[in-house]
Each structure stands twice: as structure tokens, then as C-alpha cells.
Amino acid sequence: MQNKFQQSIFAGITATIVMSLLMMVSAVMGMPKMSPPDLVAAMMGLPIAAGWVIHFMIGILFAMGYVFLFNNLLKKIPGKILRGAVYGLIVFIVAQISFPILGAIFADANNSEPEGSMVLLMIGSVVGHIVFGIVIALMVKPVLRITN
């Protein structure tokens, strides 16, 4: 039996792998190339390997957020898939707020601009984060509901 910390790590790694594979496949199917590890590495002036490590660390942290906080807060939402989709949208919003802040902090690093249609990039990012949230929700044990 896994404890919440182990669930977070396993769910975060798995969801990050699924999201990353989805982004790679979508690029082959005509969507703009989306690579958070490349973006993070360029933003911070680090090698791509560090970008991948940071990408997975962020995925684990968001999984911990779900396991320790949002799983209980979102328990009124029926069904794991819908709960995960809502959490994925929350993660997307946090990412959209965080990246400009990180960009300002690391302004001296080599900041590369995304290529392709901004609308398609946003759609792809929303879908990727929703899939991320769904994978986490499907992997995490449900919160027991207390009925009176």
C-alpha cells in the first residue's frame, strides 16, 4: 500500500511522461512544437537535461498539490476524470501565471520565443495540462466521503 507521498511521486512522474509524450505526438500531427523542458532550460540558461529534471520535479510538485490539497477540495466534483480535468485547468492557469514571473527573474538567460500559432500553442497546452490532471486523478486513491 502506497502512502500519499509515494502516490504523489508515482502519479507525478507518470502524468509528466504521458503529457510529454502527448506533446511529442501532437508535434508530429501538425501542432506547434511544445517542449516545457526546452523552455525551462532556455529560460534559466541551463542544459536540456536540467530542463527535463525540473520538468519532472514540477510534475511531482503538482501531483503533491493534488494528493495533499486538491483531492479533498475537489471531492464534490463527481468522477475522477472530471476532477482531474478541473485540476489540469488549475495547473494550466498556475503555469500561465508562473512562466512570465520566471521569465522576469531569469531575464539575462537565453529566452527563446515559442514558434507557431499562439492559439494552437495555448490549445495544446490546455489539453496537455488537462490530460496531466486526469492521469493524476486516475492514479490517486479517492477521498472517502462521509455521509450523514
Side-chain angles (χ1 to χ4, degrees), residues 32-36 38-39 42-43 96 99 110-122 125:
K33 180 185 174 205
M34 295 175 281
S35 177
D38 287 337
L39 185 62
M43 182 182 295
Q96 297 312 302
F99 265 91
N110 179 21
N111 290 329
S112 59
E113 290 295 320
E115 296 177 15
S117 165
M118 189 56 74
V119 172
L120 289 178
L121 284 168
M122 282 297 171
S125 184

Side-chain angles (χ1 to χ4, degrees), residues 14-96:
T14 304
T16 303
I17 289 170
V18 170
M19 181 180 175
S20 299
L21 289 173
L22 178 66
M23 285 188 269
M24 290 176 191
V25 169
S26 66
V28 173
M29 295 170 38
M31 291 288 287
K33 180 185 174 205
M34 295 175 281
S35 177
D38 287 337
L39 185 62
V40 169
M43 182 182 295
M44 299 176 80
L46 297 171
I48 187 63
W52 277 102
V53 169
I54 293 168
H55 180 56
F56 275 92
M57 287 173 49
I58 292 168
I60 291 168
L61 288 173
F62 276 119
M64 285 181 176
Y66 182 85
V67 169
F68 289 102
L69 181 63
F70 284 94
N71 192 23
N72 192 35
L73 291 174
L74 300 176
K75 67 183 174 190
K76 291 185 181 187
I77 297 173
K80 286 185 172 188
I81 292 177
L82 184 57
R83 196 175 309 130
V86 169
Y87 187 67
L89 286 172
I90 292 168
V91 172
F92 169 78
I93 291 167
V94 170
Q96 297 312 302

Side-chain angles (χ1 to χ4, degrees), residues 113-136:
E113 290 295 320
E115 296 177 15
S117 165
M118 189 56 74
V119 172
L120 289 178
L121 284 168
M122 282 297 171
I123 291 170
S125 184
V126 168
V127 170
H129 285 93
I130 288 173
V131 168
F132 175 84
I134 290 171
V135 171
I136 288 174

